[in-house]
Amino acid sequence: MIVSRRSYMLPTIILICLTYILFSSLPPGARTPHGHHHHHHKQHLDEEPPHKNTRFRWVKHVEQFPISKYIPLPTAPSSPIPRIQYKFPRESWFARWGRTRRQRAVKKAFKHAWKGYKENAWLRDELSPLSGGHRETFAGWAATLVDSLDTLVIMDLMDEFEEALEAIEQIDFTTTDAIQINVFETNIRYLGGLLGAYDLTHGKYPILLQKATEIADMIYGCFDTHNRMPQSRWEWTRSAGGLNIEASRNTILAEIGSLNLEFTRMSQLTKDPKYFDAIQRIANFLEEEQPKTKVPGMWPMMVNARDLELADPRFTIGGMADSTYEYLPKEHMLLGGQTNQYRKMYDSFMGAMKSRLLFRPMTEDGRDILFAGNLHAGASKINMEPQWEHLKCFLGGTVGIGSKVFDRPEELSIARKLVDGCIWAYDVMPTGIMPEILHLTVCKEGRSCKLSQNSHSSSDAESIAQGKKLPPGVADIPDPQYLLRPEAIESVFIMYRITGDNSLQDSAWRMFQNIERMARTAYGHAAIADVRDPESPLMDYMESFWLAETLKYFYLTFSEPDLVNLDEYVLNTEAHPFRRPSAYV
């Protein structure tokens, strides 16, 4: 509507009032965006909470499929869990100087990205680090803010932490503009972030548990199905309207198998058994089916959670499956060894992985490193694809922890070779950064694993001619991106804390410097489009795990070993530290 210049004052005033009413009633996503990088974050604090006018709101209601009796937390006597961390000797002055110099560099990088988020995307999910805008990716509940709370504590940024605590009071976890809620991501980032900050500050800030309970009680609604398996992409508005929901016949394994730690910790802190009951039903199902799958000891990538069937022929420890396996030793730790269920599942998994997935690659120097491939279980044969991905780099840390807590010392060398494999995958790239996915050349058993100088095949030559820049031993790089992922430094950190090997700190420092050099922007850090190219363009997103995980793990690698001691805390798959029962020897 355009007002004529001949209009009088009254119509003009009426137009202004109507415009104000119209725009103040629009849903948040429909508002005209303003230049966030020109505004200080305090102006964002004065805005309306992001979901004030959303149509649907979650309220507690009578369940469609109520539980008659909850499965309680285990009450058996705790079994002593062996110590994980190396007994570090007293540090020399020179070693401390070098370590803290690196630690300060990581903290500086964090403060740069946090400043960019605070000034340009406050109370939004993610900063857009090239444009200075923001993205809503996880229900619009300020994912980066909540995900970063315990990193602020770990880095002793307590003024920023308390400022963030004031902001989270504005987040309403009972409503969202999202039609579906990704329960897994909500669980690990939001619930995990609140619980981690609560445990790390020893319960000093009750608002953290209050908000954790708010979000846990909401997503608990996803379990209200006929078999109590969660609807992982939860149609929450159906539940809010009193309608039935069902678990999916195509549920990602990681999304159903990685809720244990957070829901267990909720029951431990609140004394409410419903949370543990919810995940224990999943654990019982997975344990029962584990020996019956096409690769006994492992679960396929996709689960028919509605019919409780595991028919998918694809098996991996990478994306879509990873954290289910990661949580096996970690849930054992969080339960204080009060049950052997997770020990048995881990034992079965390790048998399958060692016999079917692990392989040594061909490298230029014949290095003794390990990777884990993918499996496809056909009618008569199980085929292994030598594919590796950045997401799989968690495995070295997990096997390292398992070797300690389950007293399997012979597997620590496997863990170290897996960690060294990820370090190698960083070091051989032109940018010093590992790509999202790469395919490797398998070293045949009983043969030398060192590539000869004339070992390039015609396909290698063709790849080089096409400009793919493949390092020796790498057969293909189908996805050359680096998305600011944490898995490699996660395992480097864990292996350093287990072994005390200072060379791992040196590897971490190389990794950090290369990422910082390539990814830094005016507003934060951005994902890299092609790690084969030292001049690679950047992509305009910075996921919350950059601050919650990647920089946290770099910082802890250069910290004193008692900061987030692995004998006192267990870290969830988003690097949020939950306090362990003190049942270790």
Side-chain angles (χ1 to χ4, degrees):
M1 180 178 181
I2 300 175
V3 180
S4 167
R5 291 184 182 181
R6 293 176 293 176
S7 301
Y8 294 96
M9 183 61 69
L10 181 58
T12 303
I13 293 172
I14 292 171
L15 174 66
I16 292 170
C17 292
L18 287 172
T19 302
Y20 174 78
I21 293 169
L22 172 64
F23 278 94
S24 65
S25 63
L26 285 173
R31 293 173 187 242
T32 304
H34 54 274
H36 285 278
H37 53 282
H38 297 304
H39 292 256
H40 189 267
H41 75 96
K42 286 183 179 177
Q43 289 177 288
H44 295 292
L45 287 173
D46 294 333
E47 294 178 356
E48 292 182 38
H51 304 295
K52 183 176 179 181
N53 298 307
T54 305
R55 181 178 300 171
F56 289 97
R57 184 173 299 276
W58 174 257
V59 292
K60 291 185 178 180
H61 58 86
V62 176
E63 288 191 310
Q64 303 283 336
F65 303 97
I67 298 294
S68 58
K69 186 178 180 181
Y70 292 122
I71 302 171
L73 284 163
T75 55
S78 298
S79 299
I81 297 175
R83 287 186 179 272
I84 294 173
Q85 289 213 162
Y86 178 74
K87 291 186 178 180
F88 287 84
R90 185 173 180 178
E91 189 176 33
S92 70
W93 175 89
F94 184 74
R96 177 179 173 82
W97 174 82
R99 176 182 60 76
T100 56
R101 180 177 62 88
R102 293 172 172 182
Q103 190 182 47
R104 285 193 300 271
V106 176
K107 185 174 181 177
K108 183 178 179 181
F110 176 91
K111 289 172 72 174
H112 170 69
W114 180 254
K115 180 176 183 286
Y117 172 73
K118 189 169 69 171
E119 293 183 352
N120 303 288
W122 195 243
L123 284 173
R124 307 293 181 174
D125 279 348
E126 293 176 3
L127 169 71
S128 297
L130 298 180
S131 62
H134 60 77
R135 302 196 314 157
E136 302 297 335
T137 47
F138 298 107
W141 292 322
T144 296
L145 190 154
V146 178
D147 220 359
S148 305
L149 288 170
D150 49 31
T151 312
L152 293 168
V153 176
I154 287 167
M155 294 189 179
D156 197 27
L157 297 169
M158 294 309 292
D159 289 343
E160 290 85 347
F161 173 72
E162 295 196 356
E163 186 177 30
L165 281 187
E166 292 179 14
I168 69 169
E169 294 185 14
Q170 299 184 50
I171 304 172
D172 183 357
F173 286 120
T174 66
T175 187
T176 172
D177 290 331
I179 297 172
Q180 292 185 344
I181 291 176
N182 186 319
V183 175
F184 166 75
E185 298 288 356
T186 302
N187 176 64
I188 64 171
R189 299 186 196 226
Y190 291 111
L191 183 56
L194 293 162
L195 292 174
Y198 182 81
D199 272 354
L200 205 58
T201 54
H202 307 283
K204 181 180 177 182
Y205 301 94
I207 182 68
L208 293 165
L209 185 57
Q210 174 191 324
K211 285 292 184 179
T213 304
E214 188 178 303
I215 196 166
D217 281 350
M218 182 186 186
I219 62 175
Y220 181 78
C222 79
F223 291 91
D224 191 12
T225 65
H226 79 279
N227 61 8
R228 301 302 297 185
M229 293 294 109
Q231 186 186 60
S232 60
R233 304 300 174 98
W234 180 33
E235 300 169 289
W236 75 277
T237 55
R238 287 184 59 84
S239 299
L243 301 175
N244 286 1
I245 60 168
E246 284 293 347
S248 172
R249 289 193 172 97
N250 291 290
T251 299
I252 293 171
L253 173 63
E255 292 186 356
I256 196 173
S258 310
L259 307 174
N260 338 32
L261 289 182
E262 298 78 10
F263 272 56
T264 295
R265 192 63 186 140
M266 278 298 299
S267 282
Q268 290 175 338
L269 290 170
T270 65
K271 311 304 180 187
D272 188 336
K274 72 179 182 183
Y275 308 109
F276 179 74
D277 172 273
I279 59 92
Q280 187 57 33
R281 294 172 188 274
I282 299 170
N284 291 343
F285 162 63
L286 291 177
E287 181 187 28
E288 182 180 349
E289 296 299 316
Q290 190 177 17
K292 305 175 187 176
T293 69
K294 295 177 181 179
V295 180
M298 297 184 67
W299 302 280
M301 287 170 57
M302 302 299 293
V303 176
N304 179 346
R306 184 178 301 184
D307 304 317
L308 300 181
E309 294 177 351
L310 298 171
D312 185 15
R314 297 166 298 169
F315 293 78
T316 182
I317 53 90
M320 302 174 69
D322 44 8
S323 46
T324 297
Y325 299 107
E326 176 191 352
Y327 273 18
L328 296 178
K330 289 184 173 182
E331 179 73 354
H332 180 82
M333 292 156 64
L334 190 61
L335 290 172
Q338 290 180 288
T339 169
N340 274 322
Q341 183 177 32
Y342 289 91
R343 182 193 297 271
K344 292 175 183 175
M345 287 194 283
Y346 183 82
D347 180 68
S348 184
F349 158 62
M350 285 298 293
M353 189 192 73
K354 288 192 294 184
S355 65
R356 294 190 178 275
L357 264 73
L358 291 184
F359 68 92
R360 183 177 173 183
M362 300 288 291
T363 63
E364 203 164 25
D365 57 1
R367 193 170 308 190
D368 190 8
I369 53 180
L370 288 175
F371 295 92
N374 298 333
L375 299 176
H376 187 278
S380 59
K381 186 179 179 182
I382 297 177
N383 295 310
M384 194 274 284
E385 175 195 23
Q387 180 253 41
W388 186 250
E389 54 191 276
H390 200 288
L391 282 166
K392 290 180 178 179
C393 279
F394 85 95
L395 185 61
T398 293
V399 175
I401 288 174
S403 75
K404 289 291 185 178
V405 302
F406 294 133
D407 194 20
R408 303 164 69 100
E410 71 284 358
E411 289 171 357
L412 184 58
S413 64
I414 294 175
R416 180 58 189 262
K417 290 174 185 179
L418 287 163
V419 174
D420 287 344
C422 289
I423 294 171
W424 173 85
Y426 268 73
D427 288 341
V428 296
M429 298 306 299
T431 56
I433 303 171
M434 180 183 169
E436 183 77 353
I437 300 175
L438 67 163
H439 292 167
L440 299 161
T441 305
V442 178
C443 177
K444 302 293 184 182
E445 189 175 350
R447 297 185 184 179
S448 169
C449 297
K450 185 175 181 178
L451 289 165
S452 65
Q453 291 185 348
N454 329 330
S455 61
H456 291 298
S457 66
S458 58
S459 61
D460 292 331
E462 183 182 349
S463 295
I464 293 169
Q466 292 172 355
K468 290 187 178 180
K469 304 174 187 174
L470 294 177
V474 177
D476 190 20
I477 301 178
D479 188 346
Q481 300 177 106
Y482 173 65
L483 305 178
L484 305 177
R485 289 202 187 276
E487 291 78 18
I489 184 57
E490 170 187 355
S491 285
V492 170
F493 157 71
I494 292 170
M495 190 56 55
Y496 170 67
R497 287 288 184 89
I498 289 174
T499 65
D501 184 349
N502 291 328
S503 71
L504 290 162
Q505 289 181 309
D506 296 334
S507 297
W509 182 238
R510 289 196 308 276
M511 293 160 63
F512 170 75
Q513 288 182 298
N514 290 329
I515 296 169
E516 169 75 357
R517 183 187 71 253
M518 289 289 298
R520 187 181 177 97
T521 73
Y523 301 110
H525 298 82
I528 301 167
D530 190 341
V531 298
R532 300 169 299 184
D533 180 7
E535 303 298 326
S536 172
L538 301 177
M539 297 178 286
D540 198 17
Y541 61 91
M542 183 182 87
E543 281 216 45
S544 67
F545 55 61
W546 170 244
L547 297 176
E549 294 188 78
T550 312
L551 288 177
K552 180 189 293 173
Y553 279 127
F554 275 118
Y555 186 84
L556 289 173
T557 303
F558 303 123
S559 74
E560 294 183 345
D562 280 341
L563 184 60
V564 191
N565 189 311
L566 297 180
D567 292 314
E568 297 173 4
Y569 292 93
V570 56
L571 289 99
N572 86 334
T573 195
E574 194 78 4
H576 298 306
F578 302 159
R579 185 165 288 277
R580 292 175 51 186
S582 56
Y584 56 84
V585 295

